[in-house]
């Protein structure tokens, strides 16, 4: 999936959908806003769907633009626990630098959930539409995702494809391989792995997040047809790309 294809879906999701009632009247049926935001958060951070759906407000330092995914939520935690016998500092959260769009998404989710009493950014709802003490499941999110893509007339994909799309877009926008792998919380192989190379790549990943945000916003603006100062934005993106491109 290209950034342009996903941007078109996001823009369609932002527009209300008209439904016809039994009496023939048309009413507006807005999409589940939280699911739209979940899709955007996965695509703009590259993190696993379950980590996104199980996210809590206290994990985020929005002023610093950082998300600290708890160690217990990391997929590779068992490998890290074995390696931690020689390097105890590996038992730590996975810190994710956030592009500005992801920060805005989290702020909106906190506002949406202000009166729900839920500890999760993406609470699960029961059949009566009431929030439960559980987070939304990946199966439920994928069901919603498939339904909306079908109505939008697009090619089907699931939450994992959004994460794969982040990696593909970041590569095409000049983010170097080890920065992408660290951001995705993959273990680097051989001498680049945790045994010898314990660099977190946080500064490089912050630059990459800024670059990603600039490029993603450019795509959104172009698809809306309301780009302002495109030439200046392209220049800024080019300068950022030099900072994270493989030499």
């Amino acid at each position: 999936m290209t950034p342009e294809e996903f941007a078109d879906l996001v823009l369609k999701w932002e527009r209300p959908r008209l439904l016809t009632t039994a009496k023939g009247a048309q009413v507006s049926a807005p999409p589940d806003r939280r699911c739209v935001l979940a899709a955007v958060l996965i695509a703009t951070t590259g993190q696993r769907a379950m980590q996104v759906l199980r996210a809590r407000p206290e994990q985020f330092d929005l002023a610093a633009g950082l998300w600290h995914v708890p160690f217990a939520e990391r997929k590779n935690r068992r490998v890290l626990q074995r390696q931690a016998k020689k390097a105890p500092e590996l038992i730590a959260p996975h810190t994710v630098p956030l592009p500005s769009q992801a920060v805005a998404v989290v702020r909106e989710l906190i506002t949406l959930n202000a009166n729900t009493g839920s500890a999760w950014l993406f609470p699960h709802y029961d059949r009566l539409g009431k929030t439960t003490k559980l987070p939304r499941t990946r199966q439920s999110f994928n069901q919603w995702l498939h339904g909306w893509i079908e109505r939008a007339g697009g090619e089907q994909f699931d939450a994992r494809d959004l994460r794969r799309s982040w990696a593909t877009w970041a590569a095409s926008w000049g983010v170097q391989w080890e920065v992408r792998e660290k951001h995705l919380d993959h273990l680097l192989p051989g001498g680049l792995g945790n045994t010898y190379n314990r660099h977190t790549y946080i500064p490089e990943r912050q630059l990459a997040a800024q670059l990603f945000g600039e490029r993603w916003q450019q795509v959104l603006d172009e698809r809306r047809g309301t780009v302002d100062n495109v030439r200046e934005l392209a220049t800024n993106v080019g300068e950022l790309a030099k900072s994270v491109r493989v030499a």
Side-chain angles (χ1 to χ4, degrees):
M1 177 172 53
T2 67
E4 291 77 15
E5 289 170 339
F6 184 63
D8 287 345
L9 273 177
V10 170
L11 295 175
K12 286 181 180 178
W13 284 333
E14 288 180 353
R15 292 192 289 269
R17 182 167 51 96
L18 291 178
L19 295 179
T20 303
T21 67
K23 296 183 178 181
Q26 285 194 324
V27 295
S28 176
D32 185 332
R33 183 62 181 168
R34 288 182 181 81
C35 285
V36 175
L37 295 175
V40 173
L41 196 56
I42 296 170
T44 56
T45 66
Q47 300 311 295
R48 294 180 172 90
M50 285 305 300
Q51 292 172 337
V52 169
L53 295 174
R54 293 177 63 84
R56 297 172 180 261
E58 63 268 21
Q59 296 173 7
F60 294 87
D61 181 350
L62 296 179
L66 296 174
W67 173 19
H68 303 291
V69 179
F71 182 79
E73 298 290 340
R74 298 180 69 174
K75 186 177 180 180
N76 53 20
R77 62 187 178 277
R78 290 184 177 84
V79 176
L80 292 173
Q81 284 171 335
R82 292 196 297 270
Q83 295 178 346
K85 294 177 181 179
K86 296 182 178 180
E89 67 272 17
L90 295 178
I91 306 296
H94 172 53
T95 297
V96 183
L98 301 171
S100 59
Q101 295 88 348
V103 171
V105 163
V106 176
R107 290 191 190 280
E108 182 176 344
L109 285 164
I110 291 173
T111 300
L112 286 174
N113 292 334
N115 298 319
T116 65
S118 175
W120 311 95
L121 286 185
F122 301 100
H124 176 72
Y125 288 84
D126 62 21
R127 293 181 180 180
L128 299 177
K130 297 182 179 180
T131 56
T132 69
K133 295 182 179 180
L134 300 174
R136 187 157 195 154
T137 65
R138 184 171 57 184
Q139 180 182 12
S140 171
F141 173 68
N142 275 329
Q143 287 175 345
W144 173 87
L145 194 60
H146 292 163
W148 266 97
I149 295 169
E150 183 178 357
R151 285 188 286 271
E155 184 176 350
Q156 285 291 345
F157 62 87
D158 59 22
R160 182 176 295 180
D161 293 316
L162 291 172
R163 175 171 156 88
R164 185 183 300 117
S165 293
W166 181 94
T168 302
W169 303 345
S172 69
W173 291 339
V175 179
Q176 59 184 337
W177 176 79
E178 59 265 35
V179 175
R180 299 196 311 270
E181 291 298 286
K182 275 290 187 179
H183 189 81
L184 293 166
D185 200 19
H186 289 165
L187 297 178
L188 300 180
L192 289 174
N194 292 319
T195 303
Y196 293 101
N197 182 2
R198 296 175 186 174
H199 181 44
T200 63
Y201 290 87
I202 293 293
E204 294 87 348
R205 292 197 285 126
Q206 286 175 319
L207 281 172
Q210 185 181 356
L211 167 65
F212 193 97
E214 295 276 8
R215 293 300 298 263
W216 171 240
Q217 192 61 52
Q218 185 179 7
V219 170
L220 276 175
D221 289 344
E222 287 175 346
R223 302 311 281 186
R224 285 194 183 100
T226 57
V227 178
D228 295 320
N229 302 320
V230 174
R231 186 173 302 175
E232 180 180 351
L233 178 58
T235 300
N236 292 338
V237 167
E239 292 300 317
L240 278 168
K242 293 177 184 178
S243 302
V244 292
R245 186 174 296 121
V246 177

